[in-house]
Amino acid sequence: MSAPAGIPLVDLKAQFATIANELREATVKALERTDYILGGEVAEFEKEFAAWTGTKHCVACASGTDALMLAFRSLGIGAGDEVVMQANTFVATPLGAILGGARPAFVDCDPKTLQVDIAAMEKAITQKTRALVPVHLYGQAVGKNLGAAGDGGALTTNSDEIAQKLKLLRNYGSVVKYVHDTFGTNSRLDTIQAAVLRVKLRHLTKWVDARQAAAARFHELLAGIKGVTLPAPCGKEEHCWHLYVVRVEERDRVLKQLQDAGVGAGIHYPIPCHLQGAMKDLGYRKGDFPNAEATAGKILSLPIYPEITGDQQKRVAEELAKAVKK
């Protein structure tokens, strides 16, 4: 008897199967038009994503890291300025500030929700503070479920002035070819990626609904398992469940046991930013942010995606129960 198939942490093949024909048609059309840089698909995606988010402007760029960097630069944030953010986030968050010339100022997270501790963020404000960056971690309160076929980023704003600055900054400081009004960079979303994103955007709402349903099933399946701390309730906010993160003791052992059983669990993120070697010059030390440090050793991301089945989730729950029982 063969072993059951593994359950991936993220199943992009399952997503592709549901929209394969749409993607093929869209990408071929984009290739036929041959406007590969800032082409028509990019402009259309920007219009559609701005409408979806309820904002006036969307400016697409090459990556999420660049989006942060460009946001800071568009606001004039740079050398000598500080940007306050939580320590338990992906390294791209502080890198966006550093690439713009600013200094990340870390604060701790709330031990229940794992979101930024708002009171700590307020206390961290100084005369050097130019921006606050609350990371909507794991999909709460706004989503991260629209993925390109590679890197891509986008910024939204209701300001005409900021949108114009962003368009300059992402394209060598130029709107008119070979006329460079300011110092910019090369951070343009590829037209092919825009074509892919336009297809996916049409499905995003139903994918979020499916993730919310999957999260509700996990709540029920995992509620009675001793030793598993479920994600904190969201209150009035909506959660799009980009990730479903629980907390367990002996996390590394539990993770290995799950992976050995064919369950593709993961960790987001194992090392708080202030303890990363790349951030050592900022002067932070172990113990500065105890909540972020304590949870980093317990958090465990379980498989979740729109196409995950109830049977797959039941198996994840069963394997997790076995692992924590040991």
mmCIF file of all heavy atoms in Angstrom, residues 128-159:
data_model
loop_
_atom_site.group_PDB
_atom_site.id
_atom_site.type_symbol
_atom_site.label_atom_id
_atom_site.label_comp_id
_atom_site.label_asym_id
_atom_site.label_seq_id
_atom_site.Cartn_x
_atom_site.Cartn_y
_atom_site.Cartn_z
ATOM 1 N N LYS A 128 12.951 62.108 15.416
ATOM 2 C CA LYS A 128 13.491 61.568 14.171
ATOM 3 C C LYS A 128 12.467 60.715 13.416
ATOM 4 O O LYS A 128 12.687 60.364 12.259
ATOM 5 C CB LYS A 128 14.736 60.729 14.439
ATOM 6 C CG LYS A 128 15.924 61.514 14.959
ATOM 7 C CD LYS A 128 17.126 60.601 15.149
ATOM 8 C CE LYS A 128 18.341 61.380 15.638
ATOM 9 N NZ LYS A 128 19.523 60.483 15.810
ATOM 10 N N THR A 129 11.366 60.367 14.076
ATOM 11 C CA THR A 129 10.381 59.471 13.470
ATOM 12 C C THR A 129 9.652 60.156 12.331
ATOM 13 O O THR A 129 9.082 61.228 12.487
ATOM 14 C CB THR A 129 9.354 59.002 14.516
ATOM 15 O OG1 THR A 129 10.045 58.376 15.599
ATOM 16 C CG2 THR A 129 8.383 58.007 13.885
ATOM 17 N N ARG A 130 9.653 59.498 11.155
ATOM 18 C CA ARG A 130 8.969 60.048 9.987
ATOM 19 C C ARG A 130 7.829 59.165 9.508
ATOM 20 O O ARG A 130 6.997 59.605 8.714
ATOM 21 C CB ARG A 130 9.969 60.237 8.840
ATOM 22 C CG ARG A 130 10.974 61.351 9.068
ATOM 23 C CD ARG A 130 10.345 62.728 9.052
ATOM 24 N NE ARG A 130 9.534 62.939 7.852
ATOM 25 C CZ ARG A 130 10.029 63.238 6.650
ATOM 26 N NH1 ARG A 130 11.336 63.378 6.482
ATOM 27 N NH2 ARG A 130 9.224 63.414 5.618
ATOM 28 N N ALA A 131 7.793 57.906 9.950
ATOM 29 C CA ALA A 131 6.726 57.003 9.494
ATOM 30 C C ALA A 131 6.555 55.858 10.482
ATOM 31 O O ALA A 131 7.497 55.450 11.165
ATOM 32 C CB ALA A 131 7.050 56.448 8.109
ATOM 33 N N LEU A 132 5.319 55.358 10.554
ATOM 34 C CA LEU A 132 4.987 54.151 11.307
ATOM 35 C C LEU A 132 4.579 53.075 10.305
ATOM 36 O O LEU A 132 3.768 53.338 9.417
ATOM 37 C CB LEU A 132 3.838 54.416 12.283
ATOM 38 C CG LEU A 132 3.994 55.616 13.230
ATOM 39 C CD1 LEU A 132 2.756 55.748 14.117
ATOM 40 C CD2 LEU A 132 5.246 55.469 14.088
ATOM 41 N N VAL A 133 5.144 51.884 10.455
ATOM 42 C CA VAL A 133 4.869 50.808 9.496
ATOM 43 C C VAL A 133 4.300 49.599 10.234
ATOM 44 O O VAL A 133 5.040 48.713 10.655
ATOM 45 C CB VAL A 133 6.143 50.410 8.716
ATOM 46 C CG1 VAL A 133 5.820 49.359 7.664
ATOM 47 C CG2 VAL A 133 6.779 51.623 8.048
ATOM 48 N N PRO A 134 2.982 49.560 10.436
ATOM 49 C CA PRO A 134 2.373 48.352 11.025
ATOM 50 C C PRO A 134 2.258 47.269 9.952
ATOM 51 O O PRO A 134 1.646 47.483 8.906
ATOM 52 C CB PRO A 134 0.990 48.849 11.470
ATOM 53 C CG PRO A 134 0.690 49.975 10.535
ATOM 54 C CD PRO A 134 1.991 50.603 10.146
ATOM 55 N N VAL A 135 2.874 46.135 10.193
ATOM 56 C CA VAL A 135 2.824 45.030 9.234
ATOM 57 C C VAL A 135 1.589 44.198 9.523
ATOM 58 O O VAL A 135 1.416 43.698 10.630
ATOM 59 C CB VAL A 135 4.091 44.151 9.352
ATOM 60 C CG1 VAL A 135 4.036 43.008 8.354
ATOM 61 C CG2 VAL A 135 5.341 44.995 9.136
ATOM 62 N N HIS A 136 0.737 44.045 8.533
ATOM 63 C CA HIS A 136 -0.483 43.261 8.731
ATOM 64 C C HIS A 136 -0.124 41.787 8.577
ATOM 65 O O HIS A 136 -0.359 41.161 7.546
ATOM 66 C CB HIS A 136 -1.561 43.694 7.743
ATOM 67 C CG HIS A 136 -1.876 45.153 7.843
ATOM 68 N ND1 HIS A 136 -2.231 45.751 9.025
ATOM 69 C CD2 HIS A 136 -1.876 46.150 6.929
ATOM 70 C CE1 HIS A 136 -2.446 47.040 8.835
ATOM 71 N NE2 HIS A 136 -2.227 47.303 7.572
ATOM 72 N N LEU A 137 0.452 41.250 9.652
ATOM 73 C CA LEU A 137 1.127 39.956 9.620
ATOM 74 C C LEU A 137 0.169 38.797 9.357
ATOM 75 O O LEU A 137 -0.917 38.737 9.937
ATOM 76 C CB LEU A 137 1.852 39.741 10.947
ATOM 77 C CG LEU A 137 3.058 38.822 10.946
ATOM 78 C CD1 LEU A 137 4.159 39.346 10.018
ATOM 79 C CD2 LEU A 137 3.602 38.665 12.357
ATOM 80 N N TYR A 138 0.601 37.911 8.480
ATOM 81 C CA TYR A 138 -0.087 36.650 8.181
ATOM 82 C C TYR A 138 -1.439 36.822 7.491
ATOM 83 O O TYR A 138 -2.195 35.872 7.365
ATOM 84 C CB TYR A 138 -0.269 35.810 9.449
ATOM 85 C CG TYR A 138 0.998 35.582 10.235
ATOM 86 C CD1 TYR A 138 0.992 35.591 11.625
ATOM 87 C CD2 TYR A 138 2.216 35.355 9.590
ATOM 88 C CE1 TYR A 138 2.156 35.372 12.359
ATOM 89 C CE2 TYR A 138 3.384 35.146 10.315
ATOM 90 C CZ TYR A 138 3.342 35.161 11.707
ATOM 91 O OH TYR A 138 4.500 34.950 12.408
ATOM 92 N N GLY A 139 -1.758 38.053 7.064
ATOM 93 C CA GLY A 139 -3.021 38.271 6.363
ATOM 94 C C GLY A 139 -4.045 39.063 7.134
ATOM 95 O O GLY A 139 -5.159 39.259 6.664
ATOM 96 N N GLN A 140 -3.699 39.511 8.318
ATOM 97 C CA GLN A 140 -4.590 40.345 9.116
ATOM 98 C C GLN A 140 -3.933 41.725 9.234
ATOM 99 O O GLN A 140 -2.783 41.828 9.621
ATOM 100 C CB GLN A 140 -4.763 39.749 10.513
ATOM 101 C CG GLN A 140 -5.671 40.540 11.425
ATOM 102 C CD GLN A 140 -5.721 39.964 12.844
ATOM 103 O OE1 GLN A 140 -5.309 38.850 13.092
ATOM 104 N NE2 GLN A 140 -6.197 40.748 13.784
ATOM 105 N N ALA A 141 -4.559 42.795 8.832
ATOM 106 C CA ALA A 141 -5.933 42.998 8.462
ATOM 107 C C ALA A 141 -6.104 43.088 6.948
ATOM 108 O O ALA A 141 -7.217 43.010 6.455
ATOM 109 C CB ALA A 141 -6.427 44.301 9.090
ATOM 110 N N VAL A 142 -5.030 43.335 6.168
ATOM 111 C CA VAL A 142 -5.193 43.358 4.718
ATOM 112 C C VAL A 142 -4.341 42.208 4.120
ATOM 113 O O VAL A 142 -3.425 41.722 4.749
ATOM 114 C CB VAL A 142 -4.763 44.711 4.126
ATOM 115 C CG1 VAL A 142 -5.633 45.825 4.645
ATOM 116 C CG2 VAL A 142 -3.307 45.016 4.455
ATOM 117 N N GLY A 143 -4.662 41.895 2.917
ATOM 118 C CA GLY A 143 -4.182 40.635 2.366
ATOM 119 C C GLY A 143 -2.840 40.663 1.689
ATOM 120 O O GLY A 143 -2.291 41.696 1.386
ATOM 121 N N LYS A 144 -2.322 39.447 1.429
ATOM 122 C CA LYS A 144 -1.091 39.255 0.673
ATOM 123 C C LYS A 144 -1.295 38.037 -0.218
ATOM 124 O O LYS A 144 -0.386 37.238 -0.425
ATOM 125 C CB LYS A 144 0.079 39.027 1.636
ATOM 126 C CG LYS A 144 1.450 39.130 0.973
ATOM 127 C CD LYS A 144 2.531 38.759 1.953
ATOM 128 C CE LYS A 144 3.882 38.711 1.268
ATOM 129 N NZ LYS A 144 4.959 38.264 2.144
ATOM 130 N N ASN A 145 -2.492 37.871 -0.720
ATOM 131 C CA ASN A 145 -2.848 36.652 -1.447
ATOM 132 C C ASN A 145 -2.847 36.816 -2.958
ATOM 133 O O ASN A 145 -3.246 35.909 -3.675
ATOM 134 C CB ASN A 145 -4.232 36.156 -1.005
ATOM 135 C CG ASN A 145 -4.184 35.593 0.407
ATOM 136 O OD1 ASN A 145 -3.184 35.022 0.816
ATOM 137 N ND2 ASN A 145 -5.251 35.771 1.149
ATOM 138 N N LEU A 146 -2.401 37.960 -3.451
ATOM 139 C CA LEU A 146 -2.301 38.158 -4.886
ATOM 140 C C LEU A 146 -0.833 38.049 -5.270
ATOM 141 O O LEU A 146 -0.052 38.964 -5.032
ATOM 142 C CB LEU A 146 -2.856 39.524 -5.297
ATOM 143 C CG LEU A 146 -2.847 39.818 -6.795
ATOM 144 C CD1 LEU A 146 -3.761 38.864 -7.546
ATOM 145 C CD2 LEU A 146 -3.264 41.255 -7.061
ATOM 146 N N GLY A 147 -0.465 36.916 -5.849
ATOM 147 C CA GLY A 147 0.930 36.660 -6.170
ATOM 148 C C GLY A 147 1.164 36.610 -7.666
ATOM 149 O O GLY A 147 0.386 36.025 -8.416
ATOM 150 N N ALA A 148 2.252 37.213 -8.107
ATOM 151 C CA ALA A 148 2.644 37.142 -9.516
ATOM 152 C C ALA A 148 3.335 35.811 -9.784
ATOM 153 O O ALA A 148 3.463 34.967 -8.900
ATOM 154 C CB ALA A 148 3.574 38.312 -9.848
ATOM 155 N N ALA A 149 3.794 35.632 -11.019
ATOM 156 C CA ALA A 149 4.582 34.445 -11.363
ATOM 157 C C ALA A 149 6.059 34.786 -11.185
ATOM 158 O O ALA A 149 6.876 34.649 -12.090
ATOM 159 C CB ALA A 149 4.292 34.014 -12.793
ATOM 160 N N GLY A 150 6.391 35.254 -9.995
ATOM 161 C CA GLY A 150 7.722 35.759 -9.694
ATOM 162 C C GLY A 150 7.589 37.000 -8.836
ATOM 163 O O GLY A 150 6.596 37.174 -8.133
ATOM 164 N N ASP A 151 8.560 37.898 -8.909
ATOM 165 C CA ASP A 151 8.521 39.107 -8.095
ATOM 166 C C ASP A 151 7.598 40.161 -8.696
ATOM 167 O O ASP A 151 7.439 40.257 -9.910
ATOM 168 C CB ASP A 151 9.925 39.704 -7.963
ATOM 169 C CG ASP A 151 10.770 38.966 -6.932
ATOM 170 O OD1 ASP A 151 10.187 38.445 -5.967
ATOM 171 O OD2 ASP A 151 12.004 38.918 -7.098
ATOM 172 N N GLY A 152 7.051 40.958 -7.812
ATOM 173 C CA GLY A 152 6.216 42.079 -8.229
ATOM 174 C C GLY A 152 5.768 42.837 -7.000
ATOM 175 O O GLY A 152 5.685 42.266 -5.911
ATOM 176 N N GLY A 153 5.501 44.130 -7.159
ATOM 177 C CA GLY A 153 5.043 44.933 -6.041
ATOM 178 C C GLY A 153 4.082 46.003 -6.515
ATOM 179 O O GLY A 153 3.975 46.270 -7.712
ATOM 180 N N ALA A 154 3.376 46.603 -5.582
ATOM 181 C CA ALA A 154 2.432 47.660 -5.931
ATOM 182 C C ALA A 154 2.231 48.578 -4.743
ATOM 183 O O ALA A 154 2.290 48.149 -3.591
ATOM 184 C CB ALA A 154 1.098 47.078 -6.377
ATOM 185 N N LEU A 155 2.003 49.836 -5.041
ATOM 186 C CA LEU A 155 1.685 50.838 -4.023
ATOM 187 C C LEU A 155 0.350 51.475 -4.375
ATOM 188 O O LEU A 155 0.066 51.707 -5.549
ATOM 189 C CB LEU A 155 2.759 51.924 -3.980
ATOM 190 C CG LEU A 155 4.191 51.452 -3.735
ATOM 191 C CD1 LEU A 155 4.976 51.498 -5.036
ATOM 192 C CD2 LEU A 155 4.868 52.295 -2.670
ATOM 193 N N THR A 156 -0.452 51.768 -3.375
ATOM 194 C CA THR A 156 -1.715 52.460 -3.606
ATOM 195 C C THR A 156 -1.737 53.756 -2.807
ATOM 196 O O THR A 156 -1.196 53.828 -1.702
ATOM 197 C CB THR A 156 -2.922 51.591 -3.205
ATOM 198 O OG1 THR A 156 -2.793 51.205 -1.825
ATOM 199 C CG2 THR A 156 -3.020 50.357 -4.080
ATOM 200 N N THR A 157 -2.354 54.776 -3.364
ATOM 201 C CA THR A 157 -2.426 56.078 -2.708
ATOM 202 C C THR A 157 -3.604 56.861 -3.275
ATOM 203 O O THR A 157 -4.015 56.649 -4.418
ATOM 204 C CB THR A 157 -1.126 56.876 -2.909
ATOM 205 O OG1 THR A 157 -1.253 58.167 -2.289
ATOM 206 C CG2 THR A 157 -0.817 57.082 -4.386
ATOM 207 N N ASN A 158 -4.125 57.769 -2.469
ATOM 208 C CA ASN A 158 -5.159 58.691 -2.937
ATOM 209 C C ASN A 158 -4.574 60.039 -3.337
ATOM 210 O O ASN A 158 -5.312 60.938 -3.742
ATOM 211 C CB ASN A 158 -6.215 58.893 -1.844
ATOM 212 C CG ASN A 158 -7.108 57.675 -1.685
ATOM 213 O OD1 ASN A 158 -7.479 57.031 -2.660
ATOM 214 N ND2 ASN A 158 -7.446 57.346 -0.450
ATOM 215 N N SER A 159 -3.251 60.171 -3.222
ATOM 216 C CA SER A 159 -2.584 61.436 -3.512
ATOM 217 C C SER A 159 -2.085 61.469 -4.950
ATOM 218 O O SER A 159 -1.263 60.635 -5.347
ATOM 219 C CB SER A 159 -1.410 61.643 -2.554
ATOM 220 O OG SER A 159 -0.568 62.697 -2.986
#
